[in-house]
Amino acid sequence: MKTMKKQMNVVEKILAAHLVEGDASKDSELGIRIDQTLTQDATGTMAYLQFESMGVNRVKTDVSVSYVDHNTVQIGFENADDHDFLQSVAKKYGIIYSKAGNGICHQLHLERFGKPGTTLLGSDSHTPTGGGIGQIAIGAGGIDIAVAMAGGAFHIPTPKVRAIVLKGKLKKGVSAKDVILKVLEKFGTKGNVGWIFEYTGPGVATLDVPSRATITNMGAELGVTTSVFPSDKVTKQFLAAQGRAEDFVEILPDRGAKYDDTFTVDLSKLEPLMAAPHSPGNIVTVKSMKGKKVNQIMIGSCTNSSYRDIRTVALYLKGKHVADDVEVGIACGSRQVIDMLAKDGSLGILHRAGCRMLENACGFCIGAHMSPRTGAISLRTNNRNFEGRSGTKSAGVYLVSPETAAASALTGKIELPTLNPVASVPSPKKFPIDDSMFLYRSTSGKGVRAAKIVRGPNIAQVPKGEKLAETYDAVCAIKVGDKITTDHIMPAGARLKFRSNIPEYAKFVFEPCDPKFHDNCLANKTAGAVNVIVAGESYGQGSSREHAALCPMYLGVKAVFAKSIERIHRANLINFGIVPFEFVNPSDYDKIVAGEKFELKGIRDAVAGDGVFELKTKKGVIALKTRLSDREKHLILCGGLLASL
Ligand code: MIC
Ligand code: SF4
């Protein structure tokens, strides 16, 4: 990517307008100014505790919103404690607070705040939903959001930009979910670190903003930095219908703009697709699975919970009933969506069809509601089907479009939605607007308030890392395989309520892989050794949860040795002073045994120098490397971002 070209693509235009550090033509890392931030409650408490410790007295961004959508189950006091803490922080620092019950952060942000041409940083990996409205919207760890709220830059690898050229028009029964599943089929869930996907071509104009947002949302599963659509007439119409015409700016790629790579999707040829268990990259056609018995169907989540999506489901179910032996749950994305469905009769249709209408929150998507039964087949419209994420380890989750979900709900078997498709839902001319559950909106960004921060017993201190020493005695505390997700490292679901209490939450690190991990790490720590995690390809896929680095840091983990590490997790490891090493020869992974002891001799010098590190193991010397910018070196040497302040 070059900065000073005459003909620019959308990514280059937005980044050039926000560049504060680095030069895209020669540096491997760029610092960008952040206009907007979002947090959600599960990552937000840590982000705000870290923000507090930075000593800044109000947010410096144009817009910062604190959403409550993940931990809304409220069994026990913990979730409610978190909500109170978040509300009091928002009031004090000039942040907009979105109360529980208002909706899911990404859907709400798209509706009410997302602005073309701006940058958005969110403590949630699906923040790229904002790419649907022409934002450069990036997911990151909570501490990065804290820095951005304090006015600091955010750092990204200088991107390579891939054009995803859309041509043609989707046929009835095929929708945006099938488009992103096609892109996932081509590029998979690993190997895309550092890329930004820009959607372009004549087919773009045929997709409404919520459909574009479904595509950029689930771009997170590719492991890219973000995905973005241009801001065009469709964007203009959406913003006007949201009563935000003044937020529109046109951002189109210049004619002749260059890309590092191009992939074309002919929308008219696309067939309904699904991601089979247990990876969003495991794509099969719906046709090939037709007739398979299904036990559960879950519709909603930040990927497919817009009015367009749920109205489409209602049209499939109109006057009909879901099959007897399938349970169907629907979670809408926002109050606006529910309001519209209530007005046009869809809510009644869904209710009469036998669907369970759920809270407009993350719920089932994160294993916090309606976990399926043992060995179930569950069709879901959300974005991740990692093993156990639904709360039931033995369940097989298939990711599908709302159309496929609805058609299958009627028979309890996987069905092709293209056989009896419904009419497409036109973009509303005017959305009903009710911002009453966004508190402190009128005073956002305006100075310190006398508000007192409310801290219940679930709000604990944030631990700080320690300076990297020259040498450590170390133990391989766990050896895991390929594609270990942050859901393996730091489970959500029933454990989610401990997010604000690191000593408590740390008890569950690697729970699905080795429930003794916590005890073993603490025993090694007491014996004076640090812990090392050994992993295969694509370590740390999935969420932005910095707890997957913060809790291991708390347990004395100082390094990860992996075949490869995913972007957000790698950044989180660095933020918490853990060295992200990769094997120079991936086959050296086989030479280390779980429980093996070794010396990390000269690790500090390696980090400060060229990142190359030799490790003596029982099976010989192995080479590790880590490519760090000067900023990243500094963070690790200090023991992490907080310790560096
Ligand atoms: C997810 O979808 O995995 C989550 C839960 O939204 C996470 C954030 C978290 O762990 O709190 C994400 O996507 O970043
Ligand atoms: Fe919530 Fe699921 Fe979206 Fe994560 S992916 S923000 S858990 S709805």
Side-chain angles (χ1 to χ4, degrees), residues 40-44 69-71 105-106 122-127 139-140 220-221 302 362 365-366 382-384 386 389 486-487 490-492 496 499 505 542-547 568:
Q40 40 88 342
D41 50 315
T43 52
D69 54 2
H70 279 61
N71 273 322
C105 57
H106 306 304
S123 61
D124 192 281
S125 63
H126 292 106
T127 303
E221 277 42 78
C302 60
C362 297
C365 173
I366 196 183
N382 60 302
N383 43 36
R384 289 184 175 146
F386 304 146
R389 181 177 161 99
T486 50
D487 281 286
M490 223 35 285
L496 205 56
R499 281 290 176 87
Y505 199 32
S543 84
S544 69
R545 69 191 69 148
E546 64 189 354
H547 297 76
I568 307 183

Side-chain angles (χ1 to χ4, degrees), residues 603-611 628 633 637:
I603 187 171
R604 191 177 169 88
D605 278 351
V607 168
D610 59 4
L628 299 166
K633 285 181 186 177
L637 295 176

